[in-house]
Amino acid sequence: MSAQVIAVMASGKGSNLHVILAAAGAGHCPVDVRLVISDRADAKALDIARTAGVAQVMYINPKDYADRAAFDTACADAIEAAGCRWIVLAGYMRILSSAFVQRFSGRIINIHPALLPAFAGADGVADALAYGVKLAGCTVHLVDEVLDGGPILAQAAVPVHDDDTRDSLHMRIQAEEHRLYPATLKRMVEEGFTLAGRRVIWNRI
Ligand code: GRF
């Protein structure tokens, strides 16, 4: 099975990007991260990508574009020019335009730090903690035009402890993210899936 060429979009510290690169480098995840895009010049994800030797590492400044659609078009053109089949969002904090989602329909994947459909949105960890759930977790899902609303590929749960803060709970969730994201990408490439309505049905190999 040859590796699938992917682009990763990240705005923050890049720990998910790091584990994907590490898993790919170790031969545990059949993806070739050909392009990393960030919308933030100070994103640690950019350093992680450069250190790992990713072929194209791009900071694209949203302020250089008239609107979200124009910015997204610039990102989409770079992704297509690099020959990327999949787009992996790893802490990418901008909402994608409909045109971007439609252009790469079914080929954009995101990880969200909550058990969707509960606690979609910008701070799922704080929202889950404030709500008082006893189980939190993370979700890997396909991206469609509904925020955090696409079909679910994989989930993992973690307990919420009485003395948790947002940070301590997020750390426990991220430990699961770092296992789940590369494992799900591997499964996507090696096994593939079909959609039955909203349900992701994994193909048997
Ligand atoms: C993760 O918790 C992910 O679920 C959310 O953003 C965070 C990114 O973390 N979408 P990192 O930048 O990969 O460390």
Side-chain angles (χ1 to χ4, degrees), residues 21-177:
L21 287 166
H28 298 148
C29 182
V31 297
D32 173 4
V33 183
R34 192 73 61 78
L35 169 65
V36 170
I37 294 177
S38 182
D39 59 324
R40 294 190 52 134
D42 60 351
K44 211 167 158 253
L46 290 169
D47 298 331
I48 289 170
R50 288 190 195 104
T51 303
V54 171
Q56 284 189 65
V57 182
M58 298 175 73
Y59 160 55
I60 304 182
N61 185 352
K63 295 203 176 102
D64 289 344
Y65 297 87
D67 53 22
R68 183 148 56 99
F71 173 80
D72 278 2
T73 299
C75 294
D77 289 347
I79 288 164
E80 242 166 43
C84 299
R85 162 127 193 90
W86 297 94
I87 297 146
V88 172
L89 307 181
Y92 187 64
M93 295 308 288
R94 293 175 68 83
I95 293 173
L96 296 168
S97 58
S98 297
F100 185 100
V101 173
Q102 281 165 18
R103 186 159 161 183
F104 300 107
S105 176
R107 295 193 281 135
I108 311 171
I109 301 128
N110 184 42
I111 189 159
H112 181 74
L115 293 172
L116 293 171
F119 311 116
D123 202 346
V125 179
D127 294 344
L129 190 61
Y131 191 90
V133 294
K134 298 300 185 194
L135 271 182
C138 53
T139 303
V140 180
H141 64 95
L142 294 172
V143 172
D144 65 13
E145 289 176 58
V146 178
L147 180 66
D148 299 324
I152 291 171
L153 291 157
Q155 291 185 301
V158 301
V160 179
H161 298 161
D162 288 350
D163 60 354
D164 265 333
T165 61
R166 183 196 173 282
D167 287 351
S168 66
L169 179 56
H170 195 204
M171 266 180 64
R172 195 173 309 114
I173 291 169
Q174 285 226 286
E176 283 303 307
E177 290 186 344

Side-chain angles (χ1 to χ4, degrees), residues 106 142 151-153 193-201:
L142 294 172
I152 291 171
L153 291 157
F193 60 83
T194 50
L195 284 175
R198 284 194 49 88
R199 295 185 67 203
V200 169
I201 309 295

